[in-house]
Amino acid sequence: MSLCLPRYQDCSRMITNQEQEQEEEFIAVRVQDPRIQNKESWYSYVDFKIFLHSNSKAFTAKTSCVRRRYSEFVWLKKKLQKNSGLVPVPELPPKTPFFSVGNEDFIEKRRQGLQQFLEKVVNRTVFLSDSQLHLFLQTQLSPEQIEACVQGHAPYGVTTAILRYASSNQGWAQEEEGGASEEDCKRNLPVFYESPDSPTPRHQPSECESSSEISLAESDAHTGSDDQSDSRD
């Protein structure tokens, strides 16, 4: 028996190492599916789907899907910089005064830039401690509503806002049509909640929508992220 003991110890170490690897935290964020909104209007703009999946305890909902436009990213960067002190915030893709919603090459470059921006942001602890980032990524609240929430001027808190949005959106992000890689399939998971009192998610896929039904401020007019100025960002 004593001769076999080292082998059992080695097996035990292997199992322990495998469990530690499985429990390693990860944050996967993707910017995809650019869409032209208000296409027939002078106020048309492009927004992007943000799909996030993580097992990190930093996130209330482990899977989320929202749509955001470039001007909202600009707002987020300013807020992160204000709250992060001397820590520099990653750069956004540049804004151009000659932007056209029909310029597919430009839109793709912008999508890639926004993807790189978020990947860097979610991997810095100082940014993950900012509630505004979580509301940006995991609710469809406008910047004005996010500010009201974190300042305590809204009838709901940060966690409540995220959980209610996840429940109304079924916490489920529908991926692009067509084939998906094995890694993509692993990411297509329902929401898992931190709180045992959280609502049970309904397993029905749905596109990310920025509809007023999902907004938590039903009684307020949606001042929204759609700029009132003549901007296509």
Side-chain angles (χ1 to χ4, degrees):
M1 293 295 292
S2 60
L3 294 176
C4 297
L5 184 59
R7 294 183 180 180
Y8 287 116
Q9 290 176 339
D10 289 341
C11 291
S12 178
R13 290 194 201 100
M14 290 177 62
I15 294 173
T16 301
N17 291 338
Q18 290 175 353
E19 290 176 347
Q20 290 175 345
E21 290 177 358
Q22 292 174 355
E23 294 173 357
E24 183 178 355
E25 288 191 353
F26 70 90
I27 303 172
V29 61
R30 287 185 292 169
V31 178
Q32 56 194 35
D33 188 26
R35 292 184 183 179
I36 301 175
Q37 306 294 346
N38 301 331
K39 192 171 183 179
E40 304 302 325
S41 168
W42 176 255
Y43 298 99
S44 61
Y45 62 91
V46 176
D47 65 7
F48 301 84
K49 177 194 294 184
I50 303 174
F51 177 76
L52 183 143
H53 178 51
S54 176
N55 65 352
S56 171
K57 295 180 179 179
F59 290 95
T60 303
K62 300 314 177 187
T63 304
S64 62
C65 180
V66 299
R67 297 197 71 87
R68 296 291 182 184
R69 60 187 296 185
Y70 180 82
S71 59
E72 293 176 301
F73 279 86
V74 174
W75 169 87
L76 175 64
K77 184 178 185 296
K78 290 179 180 178
K79 292 299 180 181
L80 292 177
Q81 190 63 76
K82 181 179 179 180
N83 295 335
S84 64
L86 298 177
V87 178
V89 179
E91 292 297 322
L92 285 168
K95 182 176 181 178
T96 174
F98 305 107
F99 170 56
S100 170
V101 294
N103 190 332
E104 294 183 1
D105 290 338
F106 178 82
I107 292 175
E108 174 57 20
K109 289 180 181 178
R110 172 169 283 186
R111 184 200 66 77
Q112 293 175 4
L114 296 176
Q115 168 93 27
Q116 294 169 3
F117 168 77
L118 285 182
E119 285 177 344
K120 294 175 182 177
V121 165
V122 299
N123 281 290
R124 295 296 300 272
T125 303
V126 65
F127 302 137
L128 284 178
S129 64
D130 195 322
S131 297
Q132 294 173 112
L133 173 64
H134 291 264
L135 291 170
F136 178 88
L137 292 173
Q138 300 206 297
T139 76
Q140 203 62 63
L141 296 179
S142 70
E144 291 83 359
Q145 291 169 328
I146 290 175
E147 291 179 19
C149 182
V150 298
Q151 293 170 7
H153 299 156
Y156 45 82
V158 174
T159 300
T160 299
I162 293 172
L163 291 177
R164 286 182 62 182
Y165 175 74
S167 178
S168 65
N169 201 38
Q170 288 89 54
W172 192 276
Q174 182 154 316
E175 295 299 283
E176 307 95 335
E177 295 182 1
S181 65
E182 180 179 353
E183 185 64 21
D184 288 338
C185 292
K186 291 179 181 179
R187 292 174 180 174
N188 290 337
L189 300 175
V191 168
F192 296 96
Y193 299 114
E194 292 295 329
S195 170
D197 298 326
S198 304
T200 302
R202 289 163 289 176
H203 294 227
Q204 297 177 2
S206 64
E207 284 291 337
C208 306
E209 297 175 349
S210 44
S211 67
S212 58
E213 294 178 354
I214 296 174
S215 172
L216 293 170
E218 293 91 346
S219 59
D220 298 328
H222 179 61
T223 54
S225 57
D226 299 345
D227 304 9
Q228 298 302 316
S229 60
D230 182 18
S231 170
R232 299 197 174 194
D233 287 321

